[in-house]
Amino acid sequence: SRFRMLRPREVMEFCPDLRREGLRGAGFYWDAQVDDARLVLESLRSARAMGAEAVNHAEATAFERDGEGRIASVRLRDSLEERSLSVRAPAVVNASGPALERVRGLDRPVERPTLRPAKGVHLVIPRHRIKIQSGVSFEGRDRRHLIVLPWDEVAIIGTTDAFSDEIDEPVCTIEEVHYLLSAANEAFPRAALTTNDLRSVFAGVRPLLADPDEDTPSASVSRELRIEKNPSGLISAAGGKLTTYRSMGKKIVDRVVPLLPKERRAVTGPSRTALCPLRWDDFDRAKLEERIGSRFGVAPERAEYLVRTYGAAAETLLAAAPNELWRPIGDTHFTLAEIPWSLRTECPANPCDLLERRLRLAIFAVGQGIAELDEITATAAEAAGWDEERVRAERAAYIEAVRCRYQIQLSSNSASNSQENSAAA
């Protein structure tokens, strides 16, 4: 069944490290788990297959209007090439998440914000430090619901939930880390976790709909979607959450289609997302994993990861790489062959894109992959044609990104202050 109650003895079988004092039972249920960055990449790939264009590292800097004051095009800044360009469109959607009010401010002054970003901090520890067979939800002393979630060879503990202005570079402070460690040790006393157990830390920002003058805790704020349209024609999608992103996309598309020229409306029609799988590949997962293992000498856990991540393309990825790239990156389950494949098919502009949002070494690898960075950048340089100067610059940029985003900061201002000091030097 999808839900059942467990007796204390059954709970301890699932989670031997859980606190036994006062344990009366637990609810057992099924839920979903997803690599969020991979989901975004697959969604972009699917959209491009249907005719969409997608660009990376492009920032909306201004709206350009027609004679009636309606938005006719968007001015973009290409931060990779340091150039600007205009994109004309019959409809413009602001789906910028926590930066929604910033983009809406390009259209007209925002008199009363409807969005209040909330930061969530996560801790990554080796999986063996807490003995669990599945995700376990528990409460902190402030009654906030937390979770420890096994993920391959690590476990993720999270998350905090507090209103924050840290939109661009949310950081993990020592106080937030201590809060999560204290709550985890209260729930799993045998683990006795300390900061020495942390493989990495990371933070994200939720785009919550909330009145800035109300005292409602961020955890109690609705995650519902709100679609608003300015007199200029700008459509803004505020709120929402990852688990309902396709439903949200349908609602937005169905609002946009009536704004298109007549001939485009006839071709486009209403949203068809409910009928479209994210990937169209069809394969026997177990057989593909076995074939990859025998053909390329890949260990079972790496084969499982490759098939889970790339689907049927996992075999093509390995076949396209020379033999020396079939081996793992350090002691991780990641494979060197993923680097040239990603550079060819997933548009990473630099190692930060590659290691944070494609291979996810920044979160899951010991030391965030810095010990293997020479090998990683050498492989990337050969595939992308980077010279030695470019390699040195990219290495330094990634190391700084790791320090700011995946390591503990003394305060929320630590990372920005360090960047300002570096710039001043």
Side-chain angles (χ1 to χ4, degrees), residues 186-261:
E186 183 77 15
F188 308 97
R190 295 171 61 182
L193 298 171
T194 71
T195 53
N196 291 331
D197 293 304
L198 299 180
R199 182 167 290 189
S200 70
V201 297
F202 66 96
V205 182
R206 307 174 187 87
L208 302 183
L209 289 167
D211 190 320
D213 295 330
E214 291 185 358
D215 294 330
T216 305
S218 59
S220 301
V221 173
S222 170
R223 269 60 171 169
E224 292 302 310
L225 171 70
R226 181 187 300 169
I227 302 175
E228 299 177 346
K229 183 180 177 183
N230 282 8
S232 64
L234 177 66
I235 296 174
S236 294
K241 57 189 300 185
L242 187 67
T243 50
T244 58
Y245 89 103
R246 294 193 79 158
S247 172
M248 291 162 55
K250 178 185 187 310
K251 293 175 182 176
I252 294 168
V253 166
D254 289 345
R255 286 285 295 270
V256 168
V257 168
L259 305 177
L260 302 179

Side-chain angles (χ1 to χ4, degrees), residues 255-269:
R255 286 285 295 270
V256 168
V257 168
L259 305 177
L260 302 179
K262 184 176 180 181
E263 62 275 11
R264 290 276 301 279
R265 291 200 303 270
V267 173
T268 304

